[in-house]
Amino acid sequence: MLKGNSVVSISDIGKDEMFELFKLADSYSRSVEQGQKIDSLHGSIMATFFYEPSTRTRLSFESAMHRLGGSVISVSEAKSSSVAKGETLADTVRMAASYSDIIVIRHPMDGAAKLARKFSSKPIINAGDGSGQHPTQTLLDLYTIRKELSGIDGKEITMLGDLRYGRTVHSLLLALSEFDVRINLVSPPLLRVPQHILDQVSSRIRIRVTENLNDVISESDVLYVTRIQKERFTDETEYNSVIGSYIVNSEIASTMKKNSIIMHPLPRVNEISPEVDADPRAAYFRQAANGIPVRMALLSMILGGK
Amino acid sequence: MDTTLKISKIKDGTVIDHVPGGMAFKVLSILRVDDLHENSVSIGIRVPSGKMGQKDVIKVENRYLERVEVDKISFVAPEATISIVKNYNITEKYRVELPEKVIGFIRCINPNCISNAREPVSSEFKLVSRAPISIRCEYCERSMSEREILQNL
């Protein structure tokens, strides 16, 4: 039940409710395209706390709330907030709950959103906590797959790149384990999905782990690309040895199915060549745009707007 | 073999039996038995045991365990039995049991976990497996193995 509740993990949203949310997002998407005014959250206030850099997530949350007729109050970065004076997150959240109706938080530490939920009398939405979860990104990822490929069940999904630290990968993997899908995990050994995440999903879905994209690319319906985080490598030679093998260019795209899609949570650095952008299968900008209707639907279902 | 031949009976206190061989020191550390400890403590290390092959036994005079101490011991010695002795008689005997929820006494191994930050919360774990022992942090969802738990008790 989403109404009045927090979303700190993708498991906070049941499958039925997720599809209800997607239908509402479809409807908001049409309304926005047609320029219809929606005022269902008029009078509601959303507080945003982004203690880590964010462009898309923050803008799309704020845009979503404005499009629903609500208002937004925000703290842009930790150094301009009372955290810089030594205030705990628990105290910050307790205070924010009395100033707003819903709190969106991004924090560098794992589990921060769960802690925030503990101390808040208002719903918390996790906009990314450390290398933990990023459930609203997962919602828009699933929404994109459903919209682009007319469904999620039966699909083969390949995740590529930094699968160790990428929180979007962890959330998406947990969510996909509720569907009838095949998963390929392609990464250098150093950047494999952590065992504790695999333990939670491996009994429910078929997973293939490989270092070689060519093993799986031609069978994939979705190629989900992530940025390889150079800063995590201690040895630059090692980084250079893997980076080249994971650049998606036109040549790689040409080996993909005709009806497949390429996704990326963005920002990208060089893992997808710009030449791929014009390919109709390049869905990453459409994916980013889906953030608005999906977050509108989520805010609306939590706050009970129509 | 009767271990009481090696370790004398106690009048009042607690007997911790069926501790895996060599783990007595870990139990003593949980009970904060050090050079300042005032009560008599008898320790049997690697004494023969029919069930376990060999085991450790600890007898602490005039001391009864708190719940959190028993919970901690359950991670070090999941088969341990605790006997409460009053006037040379065992008045209560039970086996330790791994708690379903572990609150406060194990530190999350993930240095980036919010439970390790300066926040007004205790660490919190859920027991996910008894054999092998595994717990999962309720904040960051990181699992901890038996070896990791023992290092962070």
Side-chain angles (χ1 to χ4, degrees), chain A residues 9 86-90 94 107-112 114-115 118-119 130 133 174 196 200, chain B residues 110-122 124 136-143:
Chain A
S9 158
E87 188 178 50
T88 60
L89 178 62
R94 269 194 276 235
H107 197 278
M109 296 196 82
D110 305 342
K114 280 193 176 165
L115 180 132
K118 212 168 196 157
F119 291 93
Q133 288 220 14
L174 288 172
H196 69 100
Q200 291 178 59
Chain B
N110 174 5
N112 199 44
C113 176
I114 194 78
S115 70
N116 286 323
R118 197 185 54 82
E119 295 288 343
V121 288
S122 302
E124 212 172 314
R136 184 179 305 140
C137 176
E138 291 282 67
Y139 288 98
C140 73
E141 297 185 4
R142 171 80 156 75
S143 297

Side-chain angles (χ1 to χ4, degrees), chain A:
Chain A
M1 173 82 173
L2 275 175
K3 192 171 178 183
N5 285 321
S6 297
V7 174
V8 299
S9 158
I10 192 65
S11 57
D12 289 330
I13 307 173
K15 209 168 160 183
D16 290 346
E17 224 166 11
M18 198 181 282
F19 282 105
E20 194 186 324
L21 187 148
F22 292 162
K23 279 184 191 163
L24 187 58
D26 285 338
S27 142
Y28 281 142
S29 184
R30 283 190 298 274
S31 303
V32 170
E33 268 172 37
Q34 291 162 9
Q36 284 174 9
K37 192 171 162 55
I38 307 160
D39 215 20
S40 59
L41 291 186
H42 180 78
S44 295
I45 298 174
M46 176 180 84
T48 65
F49 289 86
F50 279 78
Y51 294 133
E52 261 195 336
S54 165
T55 309
R56 266 157 303 279
T57 306
R58 180 178 182 159
L59 285 181
S60 68
F61 260 116
E62 297 189 354
S63 169
M65 191 60 175
H66 286 304
R67 287 213 183 273
L68 291 166
S71 317
V72 179
I73 54 173
S74 61
V75 172
S76 56
E77 47 188 336
K79 67 182 174 194
S80 64
S81 75
S82 49
V83 169
K85 297 174 191 161
E87 188 178 50
T88 60
L89 178 62
D91 281 2
T92 303
V93 162
R94 269 194 276 235
M95 172 275 297
S98 63
Y99 295 173
S100 61
D101 303 299
I102 189 162
I103 299 165
V104 177
I105 185 164
R106 169 170 290 189
H107 197 278
M109 296 196 82
D110 305 342
K114 280 193 176 165
L115 180 132
R117 175 171 63 184
K118 212 168 196 157
F119 291 93
S120 173
S121 56
K122 302 286 166 57
I124 298 283
I125 300 181
N126 183 3
D129 57 342
S131 58
Q133 288 220 14
H134 192 355
T136 61
Q137 177 70 43
T138 302
L139 281 176
L140 77 89
D141 289 345
L142 293 172
Y143 178 74
T144 302
I145 297 172
R146 168 189 168 273
K147 194 172 175 180
E148 297 271 338
L149 301 176
S150 309
I152 299 169
D153 283 327
K155 302 292 185 288
E156 180 152 341
I157 294 153
T158 296
M159 298 185 183
L160 173 74
D162 185 349
L163 310 185
R164 181 174 180 186
Y165 298 103
R167 58 189 165 207
T168 61
V169 169
H170 304 165
S171 276
L172 184 58
L173 201 49
L174 288 172
L176 284 171
S177 70
E178 299 292 325
F179 292 88
D180 176 23
V181 292
R182 294 178 303 280
I183 303 280
N184 303 311
L185 301 173
V186 186
S187 71
L190 195 66
L191 297 177
R192 280 188 186 147
V193 172
Q195 192 58 42
H196 69 100
I197 304 269
L198 280 182
D199 288 345
Q200 291 178 59
V201 298
S202 54
S203 63
R204 298 203 294 263
I205 41 174
R206 280 163 291 175
I207 294 180
R208 183 172 173 186
V209 177
T210 174
E211 285 174 53
N212 191 353
L213 180 59
N214 291 328
D215 289 350
V216 294
I217 186 81
S218 62
E219 302 149 25
S220 305
D221 298 296
V222 176
L223 178 62
Y224 191 96
V225 188
T226 60
R227 178 175 72 89
I228 294 193
Q229 300 183 26
K230 191 178 180 181
E231 61 273 20
R232 312 284 188 189
F233 284 79
T234 47
D235 180 353
E236 193 158 345
T237 330
E238 201 171 30
Y239 169 76
N240 290 332
S241 70
V242 297
I243 186 69
S245 53
Y246 296 120
I247 291 177
V248 178
N249 51 25
S250 298
E251 197 186 327
I252 289 185
S254 69
T255 63
M256 292 181 69
K257 283 183 185 175
K258 196 176 166 218
N259 293 326
S260 59
I261 53 169
I262 303 167
M263 296 173 67
H264 192 303
L266 303 180
R268 68 171 156 176
V269 182
N270 61 353
E271 55 279 2
I272 301 179
S273 301
E275 66 198 32
V276 180
D277 297 355
D279 191 310
R281 292 170 296 184
Y284 30 92
F285 295 119
R286 298 193 292 276
Q287 177 189 359
N290 287 337
I292 303 284
V294 166
R295 291 187 170 107
M296 284 174 80
L298 181 65
L299 288 169
S300 188
M301 285 176 75
I302 293 175
L303 290 173
K306 292 275 181 254

Side-chain angles (χ1 to χ4, degrees), chain B residues 55-72:
Chain B
K55 65 177 183 180
D56 291 359
V57 186
I58 299 143
K59 298 186 177 187
V60 192
E61 297 250 22
N62 302 316
R63 169 89 186 268
Y64 302 99
L65 304 190
E66 289 174 18
R67 178 63 197 261
V68 65
E69 291 173 319
V70 176
D71 284 349
K72 282 186 186 182

Side-chain angles (χ1 to χ4, degrees), chain B:
Chain B
M1 182 181 282
D2 185 358
T3 57
T4 54
L5 293 175
K6 290 189 175 178
I7 308 169
S8 58
K9 281 189 172 185
I10 56 172
K11 181 170 181 277
D12 296 292
T14 305
V15 177
I16 305 155
D17 200 353
H18 301 107
V19 174
M23 293 304 272
F25 296 107
K26 198 80 191 171
V27 174
L28 292 175
S29 144
I30 290 168
L31 300 181
R32 295 175 189 275
V33 172
D34 55 20
D35 53 346
L36 300 174
H37 193 79
E38 289 178 349
N39 300 315
S40 299
V41 180
S42 313
I43 308 161
I45 299 206
R46 299 195 192 280
V47 297
S49 158
K51 205 167 82 177
M52 301 171 74
Q54 50 177 223
K55 65 177 183 180
D56 291 359
V57 186
I58 299 143
K59 298 186 177 187
V60 192
E61 297 250 22
N62 302 316
R63 169 89 186 268
Y64 302 99
L65 304 190
E66 289 174 18
R67 178 63 197 261
V68 65
E69 291 173 319
V70 176
D71 284 349
K72 282 186 186 182
I73 290 169
S74 72
F75 284 97
V76 172
E79 307 281 319
T81 52
I82 311 277
S83 300
I84 295 167
V85 181
K86 286 184 179 161
N87 200 23
Y88 296 106
N89 291 314
I90 294 174
T91 58
E92 192 186 340
K93 184 174 181 174
Y94 59 91
R95 203 173 124 173
V96 299
E97 203 176 329
L98 286 163
E100 291 292 330
K101 280 231 168 210
V102 183
I103 298 172
F105 62 80
I106 295 172
R107 197 177 157 83
C108 182
I109 195 168
N110 174 5
N112 199 44
C113 176
I114 194 78
S115 70
N116 286 323
R118 197 185 54 82
E119 295 288 343
V121 288
S122 302
S123 64
E124 212 172 314
F125 300 87
K126 199 173 169 182
L127 184 69
V128 287
S129 164
R130 290 174 188 277
I133 298 175
S134 174
I135 57 173
R136 184 179 305 140
C137 176
E138 291 282 67
Y139 288 98
C140 73
E141 297 185 4
R142 171 80 156 75
S143 297
M144 284 172 70
S145 67
E146 199 166 332
R147 184 180 53 83
E148 291 168 333
I149 294 167
L150 293 185
Q151 284 167 354
N152 287 276
L153 256 179

